[in-house]
Amino acid sequence: MSARAKNTVCLWYDDDAEEAANFYAKTFPDSSVGQVDRAPADYPAGKEGDPIEARASGVGNNACIARARALKSPNAKSRRSPSS
């Protein structure tokens, strides 16, 4: 049985959330990319299908990698809690 992650790190990028998740998964041992959320429709900062958030895990931690440009501000209310 694997140990549960003790924290979730949230990384904000202007673009390329999925590419960043893949980079971290290749860089750190025993890491992987999980769920990738994509934009359901065109929006002011991007197009339908753009990756807007990716989940990764490894080295005993979870990461939420978000495309920050997709939001109005870093303090915008999230649709999901960090632990989900």
Side-chain angles (χ1 to χ4, degrees):
M1 183 170 103
S2 63
R4 184 177 174 161
K6 294 181 180 178
N7 59 35
T8 299
V9 177
C10 187
L11 305 171
W12 292 62
Y13 285 81
D14 284 340
D15 211 348
D16 302 324
E18 186 175 21
E19 184 179 332
N22 287 322
F23 170 79
Y24 288 114
K26 290 177 188 174
T27 302
F28 297 105
D30 300 321
S31 298
S32 63
V33 176
Q35 179 177 331
V36 176
D37 294 330
R38 298 184 182 281
D42 288 354
Y43 59 104
K47 301 283 185 199
E48 178 181 348
D50 284 351
I52 54 175
E53 183 178 289
R55 299 275 174 169
S57 63
V59 196
N61 293 300
N62 291 322
C64 167
I65 302 167
R67 181 177 184 209
R69 187 170 57 165
L71 303 173
K72 292 182 180 182
S73 78
N75 296 320
K77 186 175 181 178
S78 174
R79 63 181 171 79
R80 159 176 30 187
S81 70
S83 61
S84 64

